[in-house]
Amino acid sequence: MADTGVLETLLRRIEKVDDGVDSLEVATSLGVDHQVLVGAVKSLQALGDLISAELRSSKHWELLGEGTEIAEQGSHEARVFGSIPPEGLGQSELMKLSFGKIGFSKAMSNKWIRVDKAHEGGPRIFRTVEDIEDQVREKLLLVQRGNSSKLEEKEKNELKKRKLLSEVTVKSYWITKGSSFSTTITKLETELTPEMIANGSWKEKKFKPYNFEAMGVAPDCGHMHPLMKVRTQFRQIFLEMGFTEMPTNNFIESSFWNFDSLFQPQQHPARDQHDTFFLSDPALAHGFPPDYLERVKKVHSEGGYGSQGYKYDWKVEEAQKNILRTHTTAVSARMLYKLAQQEKFTPVKYFSIDRVFRNETLDATHLAEFHQIEGVVADYGLTLGDLMGILHEFFTKLGITKLRFKPAYNPYTEPSMEVFSYHEGLKKWVELGNSGVFRPEMLLPMGLPEDVSVIAWGLSLERPTMIKYGINNIRELVGHKVNLQMVYDSPVCRLDS
Amino acid sequence: MPTVGVKRDLLFKALGRTYTDEEFDELCFEFGLELDEITSEKEIISREQGGSKASGASDVILYKIDVPANRYDLLCLEGLVRGLQVFKNKLEAPRILNNERRTAAVRPHAVAAVLRNITFTQERYDSFIELQDKLHQNVCRKRSLVAIGTHDLDTVSGPFTYTAKPPGDIRFKPLNQTKEYTAAQLMSLYKTDSHLKHFLHIIEDKPAYPVIYDSNGVVLSMPPIINGDHSKISLNTKNVFVECTATDLTKAKIVLDMMVTMFSEYCSQPFTVEEAEVVYPDGKTCKYPELAYRKEKLSSGFINRKVGINEPTEKIAQLLTKMCLRSEVTGVGDEIQVEIPPTRSDVIHACDIMEDAAMAYGFNNIPYTTPGTYTVANQFPLNKLTELLRQDLAAAGFTEALTFALCSKEDISDKLGKKISETRAVHIANPKTAEFQVARTTLLPGLLKTIAANRKMPLPLKLFEISDVVLKDETKDVGARNSRRFCAAYYNKSPGFEVIHGLLDRTMQLLAVKAARGDGYHIQASDDSTFFPGRCAEIFFRGKSVGRLGVLHPDVLGRFELAMPCSALEMDVEPFL
């Protein structure tokens, strides 16, 4: 805080005037540096609305070093003129003087002096006029006394060129009384202390105002990963809708449960090396339910259950091949088989959200592993309209109400529908996921009753998350190349807002 | 999903009207197709090879249409037009007639047929070649299941013999070559052919190669690689001999049916095909193409019930007829008789017929209903515990990471100072890169890589992850199981063992486990090559080891490109269920 003396003097000055004072003028009249006044203004401003200060700037001319010298002692040419006695002065002696060289030529051009080169004892200089008028000095004196306005622009610029003058910008404050103006200063407290609370002194004290424009200090905390935050929300939605979570903690699956049980033929392209990760160790699965295995083999190779079948040579060796599961539907198949083994069928609603693996080409939106969201409902007499109705309920919880369904092909569902929603931002229909009714060739060999239908749908977790959090490259979201700052900064996930 | 490219104007001409791009897109959507791209040859070439190469190319507008993988009948212009016209009630689905005639071949899994008096134009010819290509790529599984050969019948004479000979004994002039080669020479010639090299592996290792001769010993083709030049078809060909050789007879019949049903349209007697008799080595004979029209009976009640609509039987029959499935009401109750044409090999069950009815009705016209299925939701207990723990670990100041389940062998062994044989890791047979060699057996490498990728962030970095690792387990049907793990790492200028130790204590508090030997948990000094000697402890819960914590070994830090000390913790979650 600036010297309280200056603060109080300034306040008294302001009290006396009606309008206000200029900090520069106050500084001059007090004989203190202007910066001291600026400090005083800042200190007073920090004390509340004691004063109000408006920043102004003005330009004025100031003498430079050489200009000051001339203002005090005269111009070089005048000093040359003054140092020549009536009998003249030897040129060599004149040149020894500090102003000699510059002053000589200027005095010559002013025709104040002359040189007698033929004078005995070397060239000698004589005055040619009686009196001179030192205009340069007078102009500079005008500037020094603050009357630069009396000079013409042209004259000032000429002196500026000779590096005698310069134009400077001065910032000053126009200070007026504030809403709580007073000439006495009370010291403001920065913070409330335990002592003030104990002795009640806070009642008398005034407190320094807070700067509410500044940001607060970031709390020291941990963060949940955005994709997992979205997963939690989807999990919540399924639980709200009465769906039970399936145990999907088995990344390794046999081709049998991943493909064959779903009536996906053994020559299907998805079972190709280019699409699926096969295992070399442990390479083969065993222990399939033998009766069920026979029924699966039969429905593929010969048909049955009202189906023509695919009519090919189904091989158990192909079904035994272990893979990294390509969809969580493999778990749905296991769960539905288990359900079919119950004494009496009971309707179920299942869901899962877990990792699946594809040996695909990677790009900005595709990784070799991603999370699949899946919902399954098994009950007597479910219709395609029921599937669409449930999807409508599900997506409404995500804030998506405008749906459209496109016929599609999937080996284990019939009918199969791609689900589209209208994207207001992109102004087009975008695909959300896939859905369908599981084929009888999948359900009946499991032993489910003939009049039970199973409807299901699936979508990826990554895509809605990338849209939600505005992420373009999947690697910034999933995997070790994640941007932790993004994790720190990501807001809570409310899918419907 | 296969994509078929058709010239827009040609398509509109065949459909008898023009559409705006939006109208056509809408029609595709209803029919289960997708108008994927509107482009031209010029645009494609300029995109793939640069603008300069495209200067001479055609700028006729092409529609690229995505076709469902099981609809082989929509893989060419002819098929698409037929499907759409019937769908729009502008055309009745044509019936294909089988004219009895002759032509024979020997050996199983070969089928053939003849298209008589066909008239090719440039467009028809291109479409004919294109369809073979599409079929080869899709139903034929890149020629491994079925290979198609088409020949100018007037240049050869039957009967044809399908046999197999050692590669050195087969000799002929292949398509578009100027001289004769032996089969062995051809195989090395085509090694560098960008198109054909993909098919060589199908027969390469076999002692004998398949080959088809005519009665004069002229080679028609060496399936599935190349046809002979002698019998090649041209714009002037009048009579086409189509043969399909296969390892899967069902698929071969489908492919042959598809070829002849699509192009018999251009025969002098449209939609007629001449059959071929195939004589097997055992003397048995079969006639192809089968062109089997199958009849199915189902009730309109079944369709109404499955779809969730209530339409009269006549209306359902009309809907099916729109989908190239000619249907008639039998008059017995609500029974409908449906005829499935040879082009619809995808229809194998009543549910496929039901889907076609729903498509013709319009998926988006079906009213939404909500089933009354009453169920009580349950969480999977392991996931429930995981969700609860994650919340509180973040509350303890640690940030959640999400790392890959697949990684390199090195990540879980060498880099952690372990041998791969000690890891119980499952190994992937066909990884495209080293990043997918194994499933992780520990979460630690993922966390360390996450730290390495975020070294510029302010210290300390405090990370955790609760997720699954995969371990070999012979008691499981697949020989492996997941194991849920909790892993945390603290990375700072000082190792901060006390921080990680404190996190363990807090975790145990959250799990309601006391710090006590016997019934609770305790840690005791342990040796582990991943950790700095003397700075590692084993975690025991009810006397059983459940994990480790400690200060990481400087060599481990170096291998993960970390410059600061780091302490870490990894333990099993499942014992706390």
Side-chain angles (χ1 to χ4, degrees), chain B residues 123-425:
Chain B
E123 274 92 21
R124 290 172 184 181
Y125 180 83
D126 291 346
S127 182
F128 187 70
I129 302 295
E130 181 77 11
L131 176 62
Q132 286 180 58
D133 197 48
K134 292 285 178 220
L135 290 169
H136 272 150
Q137 288 305 315
N138 295 288
V139 57
C140 306
R141 300 284 293 117
K142 297 181 180 133
R143 301 191 191 181
S144 64
L145 299 183
V146 187
I148 312 162
T150 53
H151 310 275
D152 187 335
L153 186 61
D154 301 324
T155 64
V156 286
S157 60
F160 305 102
T161 310
Y162 179 34
T163 181
K165 282 191 170 184
D169 297 353
I170 304 171
R171 194 177 171 82
F172 67 105
K173 188 164 95 178
L175 196 61
N176 301 329
Q177 293 288 341
T178 49
K179 60 172 190 138
E180 286 194 353
Y181 294 86
T182 66
Q185 287 167 333
L186 277 178
M187 295 302 267
S188 59
L189 177 71
Y190 291 141
K191 278 243 160 23
T192 54
D193 186 295
S194 64
H195 181 55
L196 294 176
K197 68 179 178 192
H198 303 293
F199 310 118
L200 302 181
H201 71 96
I202 303 169
I203 56 164
E204 204 166 22
D205 304 330
K206 305 279 185 322
Y209 291 174
V211 61
I212 301 177
Y213 292 102
D214 82 343
S215 57
N216 299 322
V218 173
V219 172
L220 273 73
S221 66
M222 184 176 84
I225 312 297
I226 191 81
N227 286 349
D229 193 64
H230 182 87
S231 59
K232 75 174 171 198
I233 62 166
S234 70
L235 278 179
N236 303 320
T237 299
K238 283 283 143 214
N239 300 302
V240 179
F241 178 61
V242 183
E243 42 89 0
C244 298
T245 52
T247 54
D248 182 321
L249 183 59
T250 313
K251 292 271 193 296
K253 292 184 206 167
I254 292 172
V255 169
L256 183 68
D257 282 355
M258 219 54 77
M259 287 294 293
V260 298
T261 49
M262 290 301 136
F263 286 90
S264 56
E265 188 177 341
Y266 302 132
C267 291
S268 60
Q269 264 186 289
F271 303 114
T272 56
V273 184
E274 190 175 303
E275 66 185 17
E277 191 177 57
V278 176
V279 183
Y280 287 81
D282 61 6
K284 198 179 83 178
T285 63
C286 288
K287 286 175 178 172
Y288 295 106
E290 278 190 347
L291 293 175
Y293 282 80
R294 194 171 88 244
K295 294 232 168 39
E296 296 268 0
K297 280 180 182 161
L298 44 77
S299 72
S300 63
F302 164 80
I303 288 175
N304 279 322
R305 257 193 330 274
K306 291 285 178 187
V307 178
I309 52 176
N310 192 13
E311 293 295 316
T313 310
E314 291 74 22
K315 177 73 191 301
I316 300 282
Q318 282 165 21
L319 290 175
L320 290 172
T321 305
K322 265 177 82 168
M323 302 302 289
C324 293
L325 302 173
R326 288 185 189 210
S327 301
E328 30 188 78
V329 178
T330 62
V332 184
D334 61 350
E335 193 183 64
I336 300 172
Q337 179 168 281
V338 185
E339 184 185 71
I340 294 116
T343 43
R344 293 299 305 276
S345 58
D346 58 299
V347 178
I348 57 174
H349 191 278
C351 71
D352 297 303
I353 300 172
M354 180 263 288
E355 183 190 51
D356 274 26
M359 273 168 69
Y361 184 81
F363 281 1
N364 296 295
N365 298 325
I366 299 169
Y368 294 0
T369 46
T370 314
T373 309
Y374 178 80
T375 52
V376 174
N378 286 304
Q379 301 186 49
F380 180 49
L382 182 59
N383 289 1
K384 183 177 179 176
L385 177 63
T386 303
E387 286 283 303
L388 292 170
L389 277 181
R390 285 173 54 240
Q391 300 277 349
D392 272 309
L393 289 166
F398 280 71
T399 291
E400 187 176 30
L402 176 68
T403 64
F404 295 129
L406 306 183
C407 59
S408 67
K409 287 183 201 173
E410 201 190 15
D411 282 342
I412 55 163
S413 58
D414 298 354
K415 283 167 97 173
L416 294 178
K418 309 253 182 198
K419 288 200 181 81
I420 189 74
S421 54
E422 298 166 1
T423 60
R424 294 167 68 196

Side-chain angles (χ1 to χ4, degrees), chain A residues 267 281 311 359 386 414, chain B residues 141 250 355 369 432 472:
Chain A
Q267 322 83 354
D281 179 26
K311 299 195 175 92
N359 195 10
D386 288 337
E414 189 80 11
Chain B
R141 300 284 293 117
T250 313
E355 183 190 51
T369 46
K432 280 180 186 149
K472 276 202 266 190

Side-chain angles (χ1 to χ4, degrees), chain B residues 405-574:
Chain B
L406 306 183
C407 59
S408 67
K409 287 183 201 173
E410 201 190 15
D411 282 342
I412 55 163
S413 58
D414 298 354
K415 283 167 97 173
L416 294 178
K418 309 253 182 198
K419 288 200 181 81
I420 189 74
S421 54
E422 298 166 1
T423 60
R424 294 167 68 196
V426 303
H427 292 254
I428 294 167
N430 56 333
K432 280 180 186 149
T433 70
E435 288 170 87
F436 311 118
Q437 288 173 325
V438 290
R440 65 183 172 197
T441 54
T442 155
L443 300 179
L444 185 60
L447 285 195
L448 296 181
K449 288 199 271 184
T450 306
I451 293 173
N454 285 278
R455 276 173 303 199
K456 285 180 185 154
M457 294 292 291
L459 294 175
L461 287 176
K462 295 151 84 173
L463 298 181
F464 82 95
E465 183 171 14
I466 305 183
S467 190
D468 286 350
V469 301
V470 180
L471 302 171
K472 276 202 266 190
D473 181 346
E474 287 187 0
T475 66
K476 300 286 171 187
D477 62 347
V478 295
R481 66 174 166 87
N482 282 22
S483 172
R484 184 76 37 103
R485 292 277 179 84
F486 160 44
C487 186
Y490 177 83
Y491 182 70
N492 202 358
K493 285 174 187 148
S494 63
F497 179 81
E498 68 287 357
V499 177
I500 280 297
H501 190 188
L503 185 68
L504 172 68
D505 294 336
R506 173 65 186 146
T507 306
M508 290 299 181
Q509 203 174 41
L510 292 169
L511 292 165
V513 178
K514 287 197 175 64
R517 281 175 195 264
D519 211 24
Y521 78 97
H522 72 274
I523 64 172
Q524 83 188 27
S526 164
D527 275 332
D528 187 308
S529 45
T530 303
F531 295 93
F532 201 42
R535 296 277 186 278
C536 171
E538 198 161 0
I539 307 162
F540 288 89
F541 169 57
R542 289 182 185 158
K544 275 190 186 155
S545 170
V546 291
R548 282 194 166 85
L549 78 165
V551 177
L552 294 181
H553 198 287
D555 288 344
V556 172
L557 294 173
R559 289 181 205 118
F560 285 96
E561 295 170 9
L562 299 176
M564 303 276 171
C566 181
S567 52
L569 148 73
E570 182 160 5
M571 58 184 262
D572 287 325
V573 173
E574 284 160 63

Side-chain angles (χ1 to χ4, degrees), chain A residues 221-225 227-229 231-232 235 239 242-254 257 263 267-269 272-274 276-282 284-286 305-312 322 324 334 347-349 355 357 359-362 367-369 371 377-379 382-386 388-390 392-393 403-409 414-418 420 439-441 453 477-485 487-488, chain B residues 1 26 29-34 68-70 141-142 145 248 250-251 294 296 304-308 347-352 354-355 358-359 363-364 366-380 382-384 386-387 390-391 394 397-406 425-432 436 439-440 446 449-450 453-454 457-458 460-465 467-468 470 472 474 476-482 484 574:
Chain A
C221 58
H223 309 265
M224 307 275 250
H225 192 280
L227 191 80
M228 296 292 100
K229 290 201 263 200
R231 186 181 73 171
T232 301
R235 218 172 154 263
L239 292 171
F243 283 67
T244 286
E245 193 170 24
M246 292 188 272
T248 45
N249 57 335
N250 59 324
F251 294 165
I252 309 302
E253 190 51 277
S254 59
W257 287 106
F263 195 53
Q267 322 83 354
H268 193 277
D272 202 283
Q273 297 275 329
H274 298 293
T276 299
F277 286 114
F278 288 85
L279 292 200
S280 57
D281 179 26
L284 298 179
H286 50 81
Y305 310 100
S307 175
Q308 301 289 308
Y310 292 123
K311 299 195 175 92
Y312 70 99
N322 273 334
L324 280 154
R334 283 179 182 264
V348 296
K349 294 199 292 228
R355 292 183 200 234
F357 305 85
N359 195 10
E360 285 177 332
T361 314
L362 314 180
L367 290 172
E369 53 188 277
H371 289 74
V377 184
D379 200 351
L382 294 174
T383 68
L384 200 53
D386 288 337
M388 294 160 85
I390 289 187
H392 176 71
E393 302 277 343
L403 294 184
R404 197 159 80 137
F405 298 90
K406 175 178 170 271
Y409 168 67
E414 189 80 11
S416 309
M417 305 189 295
E418 280 172 8
F420 283 72
R439 293 190 71 98
E441 293 99 323
S453 292
L477 176 69
V478 184
H480 57 267
K481 286 177 183 153
V482 66
N483 176 356
L484 278 181
Q485 193 63 50
V487 176
Y488 293 171
Chain B
M1 205 186 274
E26 195 64 28
F29 194 97
E30 277 176 55
F31 197 57
L33 304 171
E34 205 168 315
N70 62 338
R141 300 284 293 117
K142 297 181 180 133
L145 299 183
D248 182 321
T250 313
K251 292 271 193 296
R294 194 171 88 244
E296 296 268 0
N304 279 322
R305 257 193 330 274
K306 291 285 178 187
V307 178
V347 178
I348 57 174
H349 191 278
C351 71
D352 297 303
M354 180 263 288
E355 183 190 51
M359 273 168 69
F363 281 1
N364 296 295
I366 299 169
Y368 294 0
T369 46
T370 314
T373 309
Y374 178 80
T375 52
V376 174
N378 286 304
Q379 301 186 49
F380 180 49
L382 182 59
N383 289 1
K384 183 177 179 176
T386 303
E387 286 283 303
R390 285 173 54 240
Q391 300 277 349
F398 280 71
T399 291
E400 187 176 30
L402 176 68
T403 64
F404 295 129
L406 306 183
V426 303
H427 292 254
I428 294 167
N430 56 333
K432 280 180 186 149
F436 311 118
R440 65 183 172 197
K449 288 199 271 184
T450 306
N454 285 278
M457 294 292 291
L461 287 176
K462 295 151 84 173
L463 298 181
F464 82 95
E465 183 171 14
S467 190
D468 286 350
V470 180
K472 276 202 266 190
E474 287 187 0
K476 300 286 171 187
D477 62 347
V478 295
R481 66 174 166 87
N482 282 22
R484 184 76 37 103
E574 284 160 63

Side-chain angles (χ1 to χ4, degrees), chain A residues 67-81:
Chain A
T68 316
E69 194 187 318
I70 292 170
E72 280 166 13
Q73 302 179 18
S75 64
H76 303 301
E77 56 271 30
R79 289 167 80 185
V80 166
F81 181 80

Side-chain angles (χ1 to χ4, degrees), chain A residues 282-329:
Chain A
L284 298 179
H286 50 81
F288 307 121
D291 296 351
Y292 176 50
L293 181 111
E294 276 311 309
R295 293 195 293 270
V296 169
K297 176 179 176 168
K298 191 154 178 271
V299 77
H300 277 251
S301 51
E302 298 167 32
Y305 310 100
S307 175
Q308 301 289 308
Y310 292 123
K311 299 195 175 92
Y312 70 99
D313 189 10
W314 188 88
K315 292 192 176 75
V316 69
E317 292 76 15
E318 200 59 45
Q320 276 188 298
K321 287 181 180 169
N322 273 334
I323 58 167
L324 280 154
R325 68 169 174 226
T326 62
H327 49 197
T328 49
T329 317

